[in-house]
Amino acid sequence: AVREGSGEMSTDFRFAAAVAGFGMILRDSEHRGSFTADDVLAFARGALGKDEEGYRADFIELVRMYQSLARDE
């Protein structure tokens, strides 16, 4: 949960923002602004948390694969 008044986002919120940002990149959304895949990785890596099931690490790997494919185009 986001802590009220702390000015700091929770780990879950930051990771969700990374996932949402990546979705906007994939859709080439006009609402993404200047958000890049590097920004997605920075948000996601900074919000790994416990990641007991490894899903967050898998997401990071997915974004890295996307970057690799995007460079090949």
Side-chain angles (χ1 to χ4, degrees), residues 8-22 24-25 32 34-49 56-57 59-60 63 67:
E8 189 172 311
M9 293 184 282
S10 73
T11 302
D12 290 341
F13 187 88
R14 287 184 311 207
F15 194 82
V19 172
F22 188 55
M24 286 191 264
I25 289 170
R32 84 173 199 207
S34 61
F35 205 66
T36 66
D38 288 333
D39 297 324
V40 170
L41 289 174
F43 264 67
R45 286 179 177 144
L48 271 176
R56 292 181 184 201
F59 174 75
I60 290 170
V63 175
Q67 284 183 312

